[in-house]
Structures are given as structure tokens and as C-alpha cells.
């Protein structure tokens, strides 16, 4: 069987350009009669598609689905605020712990310094006592010993009485602040005020690394107010 170019293209669904290239490549049998070209085909090829004439439909690209963003709800916003609030509370607790540690460290430093000073003064006091005893002994040898002994006893007793009176009037700062009707952070603020001026304010008394107040002599309202 023979087909014209138009018939062949229509039957096998092929373009004329592709058919022309196949003819030039001599992949098909054809004849030319009266200036017309005829392609020779068999009955089997007429009823069977070849790999050259199959048309593969183009695959349609599937549209890509964008991820759906979750909707922001009131519960989500509240949970976010609660989480941030808890984080801030944790930070505040940590800061308070650091402040307490700094205050304790400074108080410990004061105690250490006071112990060093007391140690130095105690050593000097021992030397002074030794010198005074030698002088006193010399004087006792020159004058009546009874008079000097009485004076020494009276002076020592009066000094002890003065020390007892002054120490009984002193109140430790930390113990006094605890008796006030204040919140924890307010007490810390008051302690910081005293620590900031203890070395320049004569009203604040240091003993054994602790700060004491003498309400019988001084007024501390400017440091205790809140």
C-alpha cells in the first residue's frame, strides 16, 4: 500500500518536516511518480503504532502546595506571654541571688578586714600594756604602790563600764532591718545605703565585720526611709 505525504502525516500523526527528515535519511520506502512522492507501507504498519509515530502526552506539572501557616489564636498568644513572663521571673530570681551573694561577700570582706585590724591593734595593745606595766612598776618603786594600784583599778573598771554601756545601746543593722515592716527588696535597698556610706558616716559603727546603729546618739531616718 502506498500513501501520499499528506495521508501518511495524517494517519501517523506526524509533521511534514519530520517525515521529510525520515525520507532524507532513507528510513522509509518511497517512490516518485509524476512528480509526486508516495510512501510504501504494509498493512501491519497501518494498524500498529511504531515508536516513531507515538505521541507521548506531556506530563502536567502538579502545582506545588504551599505549607499552610497555623492560625494565631488567643491561647497561643497567652502561652507566649506566659512563657516570656516566666523567663523574666527566672532572670529576676537569678539577679536577686547575685545581689545577695555580693552583699554577703562584701560583709565577709568587712569581717576579714576588721579581724586584721583587731589583730594589729591587739598586738599593739599588748606592747603598750607591757610598756605601761614597766613604767607603772618603776613609778611604784619610786612612790607609794597603793595609790597607783587603786588608780589603775578604778580606771580599768570605769573603762569596762563605759564599754558595757556603749555596747548595750548598739543595735546590729541586719537584725534591726528584719524587725521593720518592709518587703525583702526594700530591706536590701536600705542595707545597700548603709554599705555605701559606712566608711564615711560616723553614725555607722563597725564591730567584728558587722554594722551597728546607736539610736541613743544618732538619727538614721535619712537612711531608713523608704
Amino acid at each position: 500500500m502506498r500513501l501520499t505525504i499528506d495521508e501518511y502525516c495524517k494517519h501517523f500523526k506526524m509533521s511534514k518536516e519530520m517525515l521529510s527528515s525520515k525520507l532524507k535519511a532513507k528510513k522509509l520506502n518511497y517512490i516518485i511518480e509524476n512528480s509526486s512522492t508516495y510512501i510504501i507501507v504494509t498493512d501491519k504498519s497501518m494498524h500498529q503504532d511504531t515508536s516513531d509515530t507515538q505521541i507521548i502526552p506531556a506530563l502536567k506539572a502538579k502545582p506545588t502546595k504551599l505549607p499552610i501557616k497555623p492560625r494565631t489564636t488567643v491561647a497561643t498568644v497567652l502561652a507566649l506571654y506566659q512563657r516570656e513572663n516566666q523567663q523574666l521571673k527566672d532572670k529576676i530570681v537569678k539577679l536577686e541571688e547575685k545581689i545577695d551573694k555580693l552583699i554577703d561577700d562584701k560583709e565577709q570582706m568587712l569581717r576579714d578586714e576588721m579581724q586584721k585590724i583587731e589583730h594589729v591593734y591587739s598586738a599593739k595593745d599588748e606592747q603598750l600594756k607591757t610598756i605601761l606595766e614597766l613604767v607603772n612598776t618603776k613609778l611604784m618603786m619610786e612612790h607609794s604602790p597603793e595609790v597607783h594600784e587603786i588608780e589603775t583599778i578604778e580606771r580599768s573598771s570605769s573603762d569596762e563600764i563605759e564599754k558595757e554601756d556603749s555596747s548595750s545601746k548598739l543595735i546590729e543593722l541586719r537584725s534591726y532591718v528584719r524587725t521593720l515592716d518592709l518587703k525583702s527588696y526594700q530591706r536590701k535597698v536600705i542595707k545597700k545605703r548603709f554599705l555605701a556610706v559606712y566608711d564615711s558616716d560616723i553614725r555607722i559603727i563597725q564591730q567584728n565585720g558587722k554594722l551597728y546603729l546607736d539610736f541613743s546618739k544618732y538619727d538614721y531616718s535619712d537612711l531608713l526611709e523608704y
Side-chain angles (χ1 to χ4, degrees):
M1 182 182 294
R2 63 182 186 178
L3 298 174
T4 63
I5 291 174
D6 293 334
E7 289 174 346
Y8 188 91
C9 291
K10 184 178 181 181
H11 180 75
F12 291 100
K13 296 179 182 180
M14 186 183 298
S15 64
K16 290 184 179 181
E17 289 79 6
M18 185 178 289
L19 178 60
S20 176
S21 64
K22 285 181 176 291
L23 292 175
K24 288 180 181 180
K26 296 183 179 180
K27 292 182 179 181
L28 298 174
N29 296 325
Y30 66 94
I31 59 175
I32 298 174
E33 290 183 359
N34 298 324
S35 302
S36 297
T37 302
Y38 297 94
I39 295 94
I40 307 299
V41 294
T42 61
D43 293 336
K44 185 178 180 180
S45 62
M46 289 290 292
H47 300 287
Q48 184 178 359
D49 293 334
T50 61
S51 60
D52 293 334
T53 60
Q54 289 180 352
I55 298 176
I56 300 173
L59 295 175
K60 293 183 178 180
K62 293 182 180 180
T64 56
K65 293 182 179 180
L66 297 174
I68 300 173
K69 295 182 179 179
R71 294 182 179 179
T72 303
T73 60
V74 177
T76 305
V77 175
L78 288 175
L80 180 61
Y81 280 125
Q82 289 175 354
R83 184 167 63 252
E84 291 180 351
N85 190 21
Q86 186 61 39
Q87 291 176 355
L88 290 174
K89 287 181 179 179
D90 295 339
K91 289 182 179 179
I92 291 171
V93 171
K94 290 180 180 179
L95 287 173
E96 289 181 350
E97 290 177 354
K98 289 182 179 179
I99 291 170
D100 292 339
K101 188 176 183 302
L102 289 173
I103 292 173
D104 294 337
D105 292 342
K106 192 165 186 179
E107 290 180 351
Q108 185 61 40
M109 289 174 63
L110 285 173
R111 294 190 192 99
D112 295 339
E113 289 178 0
M114 289 301 299
Q115 289 177 357
K116 291 179 181 178
I117 293 170
E118 287 176 357
H119 180 71
V120 172
Y121 277 104
S122 63
K124 291 183 178 180
D125 287 341
E126 292 294 332
Q127 295 176 358
L128 184 59
K129 285 179 181 178
T130 304
I131 295 171
L132 289 174
E133 287 177 358
L134 292 173
V135 173
N136 194 19
T137 303
K138 188 175 181 181
L139 291 173
M140 287 172 65
M141 292 173 67
E142 294 177 357
H143 302 283
S144 177
E146 294 179 359
V147 176
H148 293 287
E149 286 178 358
I150 292 169
E151 289 180 355
T152 305
I153 293 169
E154 288 179 352
R155 286 179 183 176
S156 61
S157 62
S158 62
D159 292 338
E160 289 177 357
I161 292 169
E162 289 179 357
K163 287 182 180 178
E164 289 178 358
D165 291 340
S166 61
S167 62
S168 63
K169 295 177 182 179
L170 298 180
I171 299 175
E172 202 267 324
L173 173 63
R174 179 178 290 183
S175 301
Y176 177 74
V177 171
R178 288 177 181 173
T179 62
L180 300 177
D181 187 15
L182 297 174
K183 295 182 179 179
S184 176
Y185 72 92
Q186 293 174 334
R187 294 173 185 168
K188 291 177 182 178
V189 172
I190 292 174
K191 288 180 183 178
K192 288 180 182 178
R193 289 177 186 167
F194 279 89
L195 288 172
V197 298
Y198 77 91
D199 53 350
S200 60
D201 197 331
I202 61 172
R203 296 177 298 171
I204 304 171
I205 303 166
Q206 302 179 36
Q207 288 185 3
N208 298 325
K210 295 182 180 180
L211 302 180
Y212 290 86
L213 311 179
D214 189 353
F215 287 97
S216 63
K217 292 183 179 180
Y218 305 109
D219 179 22
Y220 301 94
S221 59
D222 57 329
L223 297 174
L224 293 172
E225 65 179 356
Y226 199 90

